[in-house]
Amino acid sequence: MIKVDNLSFSYYNSSETLKEISFNIPKGKWISIIGHNGSGKSTLSKLLVGLLEPQKGTITIDDLEINENNLAEVRRKIGIVFQNPDNQFVGVTVKHDIAFGLENQQIPKNEMIERIHHYAKLVGMEEYLDKEPQQLSGGQKQRVAIAASLAMEQEVIIFDEATSMLDPEGVLEISELIYKLNKEHEKTIITITHDLDFASKSDYILVLNEGNLVLQGTPLEVFKEEKILIDARLKLPYSLRLYHDIKKSGHEINKKLVDALWAYNLKK
Ligand SMILES: Nc1ncnc2c1ncn2[C@@H]1O[C@H](COP(=O)(O)OP(=O)(O)OP(=O)(O)O)[C@@H](O)[C@H]1O
């Protein structure tokens, strides 16, 4: 679905933010991109949706190599939900917000109304269609942003730290929705996060450190590489930290308990 080949990027007048990155994302998978602050995660997500242009290398989405002439087509395939729910609400009401992208694509009115209702229902916001943004919680605003992306029928959705400004209830709400979109609606999902516990639920993890892709693999493969994760200034998942602390305190810890902790960590 997504093929990134030898991608490099620098902002004006600064050193390389992304350095010769290559990876593939198969259709229907859930991938997490993890890394400390400033490691290049958001830059990568902006490149993937065509908001920034690669200086070297290529990005191909569903057989379409992104270039400045096909951005409208790219946006029909891939969408993004950002961190701050307030910065991405463009309509005066929920209904208008979901309609915005559809109007840009000149979708016929009947189909537009149908899609608005269908996707608002899917994210549990159908009863809020006439509400204004200030009447919604952060989690509800993010659900509207997700509905707007779904209404465009984009196959890939990137969540760029999309739960980091939400309260615990909002985090759970959006996490469950991400899981449902991937498993029940077969969307290809990319979550950008520095939360390894959250990333452990995805199918595959990419680890960025100072603009380099230093590790990639399944959660099980990635969490075995503790040194690389620690060097990348990432906080290990809770179950691993607990395991190390028990061992450090001199207590016996048997293989069965370690297996149970792993299984707990990877539980969806
Ligand atoms: N518009 C910009 N102009 C210049 N430098 C930028 C710009 N945006 C980001 N950077 C720099 O690029 C590097 C990578 O930033 P980026 O936002 O991609 O990292 P990140 O991993 O998403 O960080 P965070 O977790 O803090 O959001 C940082 O050093 C940052 O200061």
Side-chain angles (χ1 to χ4, degrees):
M1 187 73 203
I2 299 178
K3 191 167 160 41
V4 171
D5 194 25
N6 214 18
L7 175 71
S8 296
F9 181 85
S10 314
Y11 288 99
Y12 177 71
N13 249 351
S14 53
S15 59
E16 250 181 355
T17 301
L18 291 176
K19 300 161 194 166
E20 299 183 349
I21 285 183
S22 298
F23 60 88
N24 289 325
I25 298 183
K27 199 179 170 88
K29 295 287 181 200
W30 173 6
I31 310 296
S32 288
I33 301 175
I34 60 175
H36 60 81
N37 288 339
S39 58
K41 306 181 297 294
S42 290
T43 303
L44 179 57
S45 65
K46 285 178 188 146
L47 284 156
L48 288 173
V49 293
L51 288 172
L52 295 172
E53 207 183 326
Q55 281 128 3
K56 195 173 141 205
T58 55
I59 301 172
T60 310
I61 314 266
D62 204 12
D63 292 331
L64 181 74
E65 187 183 315
I66 305 184
N67 64 50
E68 58 186 15
N69 302 316
N70 61 16
L71 292 179
E73 214 181 322
V74 168
R75 303 257 156 77
R76 279 198 286 276
K77 294 177 184 289
I78 184 163
I80 188 161
V81 179
F82 290 105
Q83 190 170 51
N84 188 340
D86 289 315
N87 286 353
Q88 52 196 327
F89 210 102
V90 288
V92 282
T93 64
V94 169
K95 191 162 61 190
H96 289 96
D97 195 74
I98 303 175
F100 184 77
L102 301 175
E103 278 164 358
N104 278 344
Q105 286 193 6
Q106 297 170 336
I107 303 289
K109 192 140 194 227
N110 283 351
E111 189 183 337
M112 199 156 90
I113 294 170
E114 213 173 281
R115 285 201 207 177
I116 291 171
H117 282 269
H118 177 76
Y119 291 108
K121 190 172 175 193
L122 200 152
V123 302
M125 290 298 289
E126 202 180 22
E127 286 161 34
Y128 296 81
L129 281 173
D130 293 313
K131 300 270 189 238
E132 296 164 13
Q134 63 270 25
Q135 293 173 287
L136 305 178
S137 69
Q140 287 170 332
K141 283 180 203 157
Q142 289 300 62
R143 281 199 262 160
V144 175
I146 295 168
S149 173
L150 291 171
M152 306 264 282
E153 309 203 320
Q154 294 157 328
E155 281 197 55
V156 188
I157 308 181
I158 303 180
F159 292 86
D160 189 352
E161 303 268 10
T163 59
S164 62
M165 294 182 76
L166 304 180
D167 58 21
E169 204 177 315
V171 173
L172 193 65
E173 207 176 290
I174 299 305
S175 306
E176 283 174 353
L177 185 54
I178 291 174
Y179 188 64
K180 176 171 145 183
L181 293 175
N182 176 242
K183 295 294 171 250
E184 293 172 24
H185 299 274
E186 293 165 4
K187 294 280 172 193
T188 305
I189 303 285
I190 302 173
T191 45
I192 312 271
T193 179
H194 43 241
D195 180 351
L196 266 67
D197 282 295
F198 182 54
S200 70
K201 313 289 184 236
S202 54
D203 298 308
Y204 205 74
I205 298 178
L206 306 175
V207 184
L208 284 180
N209 186 8
E210 311 288 351
N212 294 295
L213 182 57
V214 290
L215 185 62
Q216 54 178 310
T218 62
L220 211 56
E221 289 164 351
V222 164
F223 295 146
K224 277 185 191 147
E225 302 292 340
E226 284 180 36
K227 185 171 178 327
I228 299 179
L229 296 174
I230 291 164
D231 285 350
R233 290 183 270 146
L234 288 161
K235 191 170 162 192
L236 295 175
Y238 174 72
S239 55
L240 265 186
R241 281 183 279 132
L242 182 65
Y243 166 67
H244 287 307
D245 281 354
I246 295 172
K247 252 180 95 175
K248 229 192 278 168
S249 69
H251 290 88
E252 280 294 309
I253 183 159
N254 68 24
K255 171 90 174 56
K256 269 196 179 146
L257 182 56
V258 175
D259 289 345
L261 286 171
W262 268 114
Y264 177 77
N265 200 74
L266 298 175
K267 208 164 96 185
K268 309 247 164 149

